[in-house]
Amino acid sequence: MHRALCPVETLYVGQRSRAVLSCSLRGPVDAAALSAAYDAMTEAHPGLRSRIAQDGTGHVLRLLDEDERPRLTTRSGDGEEAYATELNRPLPVGGPLSRAVLVSAPDGESHLFVLVIDHTVTDGHSSIALHNALWDRYRALVEGESAAEPAATGPHWPEPISRLLPPADESDTAKYLDSRLEDVRRHAVELVPYDAATGDGTGPQGRIEVHRLALDADLTARLRRTARDAGVSVHALIAAALLAAARRRLDGDGPRTLGCLSPVDLRSRLTPPVPATALVPAVTTHLQTLDVAGDSEPLELARTVHGRLADFLARGDQFHEMRITPEIPRTPTLQLATVIATNMGVVPGPRLPNGLRAVDVRLVPAREQYFPQAGRSPVMACVVSFEGRLSIELPHFTACFSPAFMRAFRDDVRAGLLRFATAAEPGPAAAVTA
């Protein structure tokens, strides 16, 4: 059994990017039940037990044989070390497009569960939905609840999002592409220079690390109030803090052209809507360029980001953007930005059985290929609020951006967000970093 990839999904084949979901747990975990829950997910979602294969000039998802399908791996060890290992462990080409690992401390009370999924078959929303569904299944198994078994009618492949777009005139799409190409030609963005690269790719072997900024529920609520009072989104405030931090890494005080790339979820914008449980990438992007000076007012930056993104969505340009995505390999500047600010919004954490508690839940993007020799690149920020607490993950490759550089960048963004948060309600404020 196989399913052809659409041109948009094919772009992820070369990127080799993946979603890394992790859940730190306290309490007893039944490894057999968790293994059965993961098996149920891979049975219900054939993309998880598939590999990418060449098919003529294109690519397909091809089901793995039974002895090749992914199974839960369990081992003992330290959670932090295990997280670093799994973050840097790729999904091999030709192998399964998902991986699940449970690492338990010797006392059996502390655990780390890591779920890794290739972006060819998922996005942030569907990976979070899958993670929660897996734990729903686990809870049902250990508590003896009845759970629906997967239908025995063969694998159900979700339809590619690019085939669900509303109809459009080809000439309108061509005009949109011409306009975008002209915009990126006239407004070339500046990227953040690396501080750790040798420039020729011959330096020390790098690794993926993550610097994290997490706000507690009170600070998150205050940030939302600031956004509401200013008539902007929390996403716009975060984008403004990222842009300001990036500008401070460039020379001089005058205006510099910076780009902000905002992924846009298409699921709720289609008719009928596509549920998050459909394991398929359903994201397009919005790129805007702004002239940012050393003394630019962050709230004005936020208003600009918010207004332009709102206009983009009101015009329905998100559908045109998805249609022109196959042009990106020929013109990478269509998605070239100084900062990339994802936004999963407010999402629930997993519902666990009595006696088991989720201490922390994280979503971090990673990929296999980084290019220290390029000398500069966008800064990625993965933003999600689990259970009302905002978290910003800043993954980086240490042969490009050093840990010290990203730690300072993280602290700079944190300071900007705290200024926004304290504007809503005076008083002492603190943020948690990791």
Side-chain angles (χ1 to χ4, degrees), residues 20 22 40 123 143 193 211 318:
V20 181
S22 62
D123 55 19
E143 293 185 347
H211 281 76
Q318 65 270 22

Side-chain angles (χ1 to χ4, degrees), residues 161-193:
I161 291 298
S162 61
R163 296 177 186 163
L164 302 177
L165 303 179
D169 190 294
E170 289 185 6
S171 64
D172 290 338
T173 302
K175 290 176 183 176
Y176 179 82
L177 175 59
D178 289 342
S179 174
R180 287 278 284 110
L181 291 172
E182 178 64 14
D183 283 344
V184 298
R185 185 190 67 80
R186 294 177 57 193
H187 305 287
V189 304
E190 299 200 43
L191 305 180
V192 178

